[in-house]
Amino acid sequence: MQQTAKNTIEYIINYIRPGVNLLDIRNLCEEKMLSLGADSFWYYNIGAFVFSGKDTVLSVSGREYKTADKMIENNDIITIDLSPQCNYIWGDYARTVVIENRKVVKNIENICNTEWKDGLLMEENLHRILQQIASPETTFEELFFYINKIIAENGYENLDYLGNLGHSIEKTKDERIYIEKGNKTKLGNVEFFTFEPHIKKCNGTFGYKKENIYYFKENQLVEL
């Protein structure tokens, strides 16, 4: 299912352009995931959370989420978060996409808007740091404090409405445990977990998100 989500992002990037409605982006993502083998969507039956522009700072539960009836602009920023499942096996994958001069900019280094470029580079850096410091003995809480410290030291803030940075992958959403204060569980005690910092510059206007699923293989952290 994680590969289904990745393939769906690659598919939708080729469709994203000015004038396309966010509702269409969501529908196309959900249709694509179903065509690739998903039988449902594990997070409140929402397959694709889609935000654009200043709404990329929003962090809402699936209980309240509604896709905005809004068109993509010539220069825009879009976050897409996917949650396919098949036989209770999950995918969980998110990316922030930049459109400049009517085209998706696929290489972060080629983004002209410095706020957008810096935000996406910060996301890349947080994932690199995770892979450098996480071990099976690291607790969810230790990771929470360490990454939030890095976020703050670089002039960003954590936007997640619950304050966490990811969660374990389970059979049902209510069984998840989170990268949050007070969770003393070791990362190595769960089979898979997500890392999905949702951040914005403290004096900025836009939000950024990158989500992968990770697991340990011979004590080394690996992206699923």
Side-chain angles (χ1 to χ4, degrees):
M1 280 298 97
Q2 189 69 347
Q3 191 60 52
T4 290
K6 291 180 180 183
N7 290 346
T8 298
I9 289 291
E10 289 301 314
Y11 160 79
I12 204 65
I13 280 175
N14 294 318
Y15 186 82
I16 291 173
R17 60 184 181 274
V20 174
N21 196 297
L22 300 190
L23 292 165
D24 292 329
I25 296 292
R26 174 182 172 179
N27 290 336
L28 286 168
C29 284
E30 292 181 346
E31 289 169 4
K32 185 64 173 178
M33 287 184 285
L34 293 171
S35 75
L36 291 173
D39 59 22
S40 56
F41 309 117
W42 64 265
Y43 192 59
Y44 295 98
N45 203 33
I46 297 170
F49 283 71
V50 185
F51 298 95
S52 71
K54 295 179 180 180
D55 288 348
T56 52
V57 302
L58 298 178
S59 176
V60 297
S61 166
R63 290 185 294 267
E64 290 86 34
Y65 173 71
K66 291 184 179 180
T67 307
D69 184 2
K70 183 179 177 184
M71 300 292 187
I72 297 171
E73 299 181 4
N74 291 343
N75 296 284
D76 215 339
I77 184 168
I78 301 170
T79 294
I80 303 172
D81 193 342
L82 305 179
S83 55
Q85 74 171 353
C86 181
N87 295 325
Y88 301 103
I89 296 173
W90 297 358
D92 205 359
Y93 188 74
R95 289 294 186 270
T96 296
V97 179
V98 163
I99 301 95
E100 289 185 326
N101 298 316
R102 304 182 61 85
K103 294 181 180 179
V104 172
V105 184
K106 296 185 178 181
N107 187 332
I108 295 174
E109 295 295 341
N110 293 335
I111 296 172
C112 296
N113 183 307
T114 55
E115 182 181 350
W116 294 350
K117 180 178 180 178
D118 290 347
L120 293 184
L121 287 174
M122 185 63 195
E123 284 283 354
E124 295 295 319
N125 189 41
L126 292 174
H127 280 259
R128 276 194 299 271
I129 291 170
L130 169 73
Q131 292 179 296
Q132 290 167 359
I133 62 99
S135 77
E137 296 299 309
T138 305
T139 68
F140 281 73
E141 181 182 61
E142 287 169 343
L143 183 60
F144 169 83
F145 281 119
Y146 190 89
I147 295 298
N148 274 305
K149 181 173 179 286
I150 298 295
I151 290 171
E153 286 175 347
N154 283 274
Y156 286 83
E157 61 182 280
N158 181 349
L159 293 172
D160 185 82
Y161 78 100
L162 292 175
N164 66 63
L165 295 164
H167 55 80
S168 62
I169 295 292
E170 307 291 350
K171 294 290 187 182
T172 66
K173 66 182 185 301
D174 294 333
E175 295 177 335
R176 290 174 296 167
I177 62 173
Y178 296 91
I179 303 172
E180 64 181 353
K181 181 180 179 180
N183 185 356
K184 309 290 188 180
T185 305
K186 296 177 181 179
L187 295 176
N189 288 350
V190 301
E191 190 171 2
F192 301 98
F193 67 92
T194 69
F195 184 66
E196 49 181 309
H198 182 196
I199 61 172
K200 84 170 186 71
K201 198 75 174 174
C202 290
N203 60 351
T205 306
F206 305 95
Y208 313 95
K209 191 173 189 181
K210 177 180 179 178
E211 179 180 27
N212 290 333
I213 294 175
Y214 291 97
Y215 67 102
F216 288 99
K217 182 177 182 180
E218 298 178 352
N219 293 326
Q220 291 295 119
L221 193 63
V222 178
E223 178 190 339
L224 181 64

